[in-house]
């Protein structure tokens, strides 16, 4: 199947640079891999079950209209799992927020996904730890 998508210039430029460095034969092959990784990440997140501690890092554009409010509202609505947050102003436009989460795995991943889906959120990474398990 063929699809058409619109992307910001710089995002496509950075993607193309990586494809060249990694030696892909075409942009399509890179996009296919990226989609597969996206699906694998989703599947991993949906399998997280039981009590978890989550460390969620979020990089976002604070100029995106309404985003800062949405992020704060989401954290208040889920104050049962959001234990604390750390905020760093990365540069003029970007913020890094690190949230410490604790709760049922499903709640932790669903909360993370709702942040991921917000417009203006550029990067989200969730690491989970099972409390009480010796490493
Ligand atoms: Ni607050
Ligand atoms: Ni900031």
């Amino acid at each position: 199947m063929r699809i058409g998508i619109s992307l910001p210039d710089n995002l496509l430029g950075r993607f193309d640079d990586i494809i060249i460095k990694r030696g892909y034969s075409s942009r399509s092959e890179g996009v296919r891999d990226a989609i597969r990784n996206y699906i694998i990440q989703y599947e991993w997140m949906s399998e997280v079950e039981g009590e978890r501690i989550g460390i969620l890092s979020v990089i976002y554009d604070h100029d995106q209209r309404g985003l800062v409010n949405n992020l704060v509202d989401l954290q208040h609505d889920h104050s049962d799992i959001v234990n604390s947050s750390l905020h760093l102003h990365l540069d003029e436009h970007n913020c890094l927020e690190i949230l410490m989460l604790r709760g049922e795995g499903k709640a932790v991943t669903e909360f993370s996904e709702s942040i991921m889906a917000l417009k203006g959120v550029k990067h989200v990474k969730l690491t989970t730890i099972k409390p009480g398990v010796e490493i």
Side-chain angles (χ1 to χ4, degrees):
M1 265 205 257
R2 296 183 68 85
I3 56 162
I5 51 170
S6 39
L7 293 171
D9 258 15
N10 65 334
L11 189 61
L12 187 60
R14 287 162 63 198
F15 187 73
D16 283 344
D17 285 348
I18 295 168
I19 283 174
I20 292 163
K21 280 183 191 145
R22 287 191 163 170
Y24 277 78
S25 53
S26 70
R27 182 189 277 162
S28 289
E29 190 47 41
V31 171
R32 284 192 282 274
D33 263 10
I35 292 175
R36 283 184 203 108
N37 283 330
Y38 187 86
I39 292 169
I40 288 167
Q41 194 212 10
Y42 170 80
E43 287 172 350
W44 170 78
M45 282 179 81
S46 19
E47 281 164 11
V48 177
E49 276 175 0
E51 169 85 355
R52 284 289 189 285
I53 291 164
I55 303 136
L56 185 71
S57 7
V58 185
I59 295 175
Y60 65 92
D61 175 0
H62 83 177
D63 298 322
Q64 178 70 47
R65 188 188 291 268
L67 177 58
V68 174
N69 269 332
N70 284 339
L71 281 170
V72 173
D73 286 347
L74 264 172
Q75 291 179 51
H76 275 264
D77 291 347
H78 296 85
S79 55
D80 54 327
I81 58 168
V82 180
N83 286 11
S84 71
S85 67
L86 181 69
H87 188 104
L88 178 70
H89 312 296
L90 286 180
D91 57 38
E92 236 176 289
H93 307 287
N94 296 292
C95 298
L96 165 65
E97 210 153 284
I98 296 172
L99 304 177
M100 297 296 298
L101 312 172
R102 185 169 190 159
E104 172 56 35
K106 278 271 164 294
V108 168
T109 54
E110 278 173 21
F111 173 78
S112 305
E113 281 167 338
S114 57
I115 286 187
M116 204 181 272
L118 295 173
K119 195 171 182 195
V121 170
K122 296 177 172 178
H123 175 80
V124 170
K125 185 169 168 71
L126 174 69
T127 306
T128 65
I129 296 165
K130 214 175 190 167
V133 171
E134 283 182 45
I135 298 168

